[in-house]
DNA sequence: CATCGGTTTAGACTGCCGGTCTAAATCTGT
DNA sequence: ACAGATTTAGACCGGCAGTCTAAACCGATG
């Protein structure tokens, strides 16, 4: 008796094209409707698959969303924070963090569907639940990064680590969402400089001595 | 032909106790289940009202959520930012902003149901839609505050106003949520100082010259 | 008091949802 | 060829938000 989900194993045993059969339909549905409002029924109709067969390979909507995102997430595995973790001084640390932000924005711009799914993931609690494991990993990695910064004196340590991590990740999402919602209002020429300046905002709450300047 | 919703007028013509009949049930349901997963049917059963009568006073789930929140929101009308808007210098501005944060945290601590509803409002897009008008007002007021800060040199103005507003509001929500989720992990003695220090984070991204310190 | 028009009310009903279940079809090993 | 397990189709379930019909109620007018 494996305690790992049967459906997941069965699904990953399928060929790439078979998997794509569902995942393409699912991705289209999720990108348009988000997680909660996406219809599992519509997905399987679009994929021309029966309910029985579909539930044979997916335990439910959660797992289908997870699989959909996971296919795209291979891309994001490219993120590599070791340089930042091993930075020798404050300036080097922030340079590497900036580099990570740049490669993330690049990944989002290069793959709109991936960016959409990630945004859904953050916005909808139900979606977040279905991707809990990778999200926890992300928090752990961010936590390690923050601690590395703290040991260099680059990051404040007068607040709980968890709070700093949460705030940083939420801030990143907030900035990303603003640009996603306002592409039209940002002149293309300024977009790059604005966006890098904006991601500089990520550092602000982490710097030592950033209290209300009273 | 009024273009204002009939149901809303009918509902507001009811007595306080009649309104409470639905709103108490609705508040309980929404606080437990959030917006999407709350069941309109369960609410009307709990309120011992028929479907016909309920739909006579509410156009749907959206409006019921709006009404539920609005009843509590009377409390929040107390927030008054004129002092900050009229501050004479940078220090005065930030002092007043800090005061606003304090009175907000106090309001949240004093009224758990209100805090829950506000958190739902921010988390679920569907809920946000039903409360769009007051939310836009909040954004406008925050925008005015940011501009006031800019005119005093207290706030950077090298980024779009809308971005600064979004980031600030999201950051506030993020901090609030962390404390709501981690009350148990924060020693009571430190809670107050931590929380005020944390809300100091709000100012950080707004300060001039807060780029990546490369 | 009777009756008539509009308003209010109860609750049956619709279409869709995510998910379960049964029974047939299809594989696999002998 | 056939038995047993796996895979598949799609009917079915309870619950959802929201609609609709027909009865009950109510106030004005004869």
């Amino acid at each position: 008796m494996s305690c790992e989900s049967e459906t997941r194993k069965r699904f990953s045993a399928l060929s790439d094209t078979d998997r794509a059969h569902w995942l393409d339909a699912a991705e289209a549905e999720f990108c348009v409707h988000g997680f909660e409002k996406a219809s599992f029924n519509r997905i399987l109709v679009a994929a021309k698959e029966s309910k029985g067969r579909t539930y044979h390979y997916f335990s439910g909507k959660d797992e289908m969303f997870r699989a959909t995102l996971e296919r795209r997430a291979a891309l994001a595995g490219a993120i590599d924070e070791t340089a930042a973790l091993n930075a020798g001084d404050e300036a080097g640390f922030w340079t590497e963090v900036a580099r990570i932000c740049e490669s993330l924005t690049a990944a989002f711009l290069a793959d709109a569907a991936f960016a959409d799914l990630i945004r859904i993931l953050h916005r909808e609690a139900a979606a977040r639940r279905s991707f809990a494991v990778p999200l926890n990993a992300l928090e752990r990695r961010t936590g390690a990064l923050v601690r590395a910064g703290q040991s260099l004196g680059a990051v404040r340590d007068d607040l709980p680590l968890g709070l700093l991590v949460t705030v940083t990740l939420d801030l990143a999402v907030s900035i990303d969402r603003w640009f996603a919602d306002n592409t039209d209002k940002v002149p293309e020429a300024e977009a790059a400089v604005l966006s890098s300046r904006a991601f500089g905002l990520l550092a602000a709450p982490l710097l030592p001595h950033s209290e209300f300047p009273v």
Side-chain angles (χ1 to χ4, degrees), chain A residues 50-185:
Chain A
S50 74
K51 197 159 257 202
R53 186 160 143 82
T54 304
Y55 272 96
H56 191 66
Y57 291 108
F58 298 93
S59 66
K61 201 180 171 183
D62 286 23
E63 193 161 298
M64 185 171 271
F65 182 75
R66 198 199 46 71
T68 306
L69 188 79
E70 207 165 64
R71 179 174 62 160
R72 291 280 167 185
L75 243 158
I79 298 299
D80 174 15
E81 74 271 32
T82 52
L85 285 174
N86 298 323
D89 61 1
E90 195 176 333
F93 174 79
W94 287 118
T95 310
E96 289 304 327
V97 171
R99 209 187 42 72
I100 291 171
C101 288
E102 274 159 34
S103 64
L104 269 172
T105 34
F108 270 43
L109 289 172
D111 187 343
F114 174 60
D116 277 358
L117 292 172
I118 292 287
R119 281 165 199 146
I120 290 164
L121 181 65
H122 183 268
R123 191 163 36 231
E124 302 189 38
R128 216 153 37 236
R129 230 166 293 129
S130 78
F131 213 66
V133 175
L135 282 177
N136 287 342
L138 175 65
E139 277 184 21
R140 259 182 289 113
R141 287 168 72 178
T142 311
L145 212 49
V146 169
R147 268 199 308 274
Q150 286 174 332
S151 74
L152 295 171
V155 174
R156 67 193 295 168
D157 63 357
D158 58 340
L159 282 171
L161 182 71
L163 175 61
L164 294 179
V165 169
T166 303
V167 157
T168 305
L169 292 175
D170 284 354
L171 198 50
V173 169
S174 176
I175 295 165
D176 164 61
R177 193 137 72 204
W178 188 87
F179 278 96
D181 293 344
N182 293 277
T183 37
D184 48 328
K185 288 172 202 154

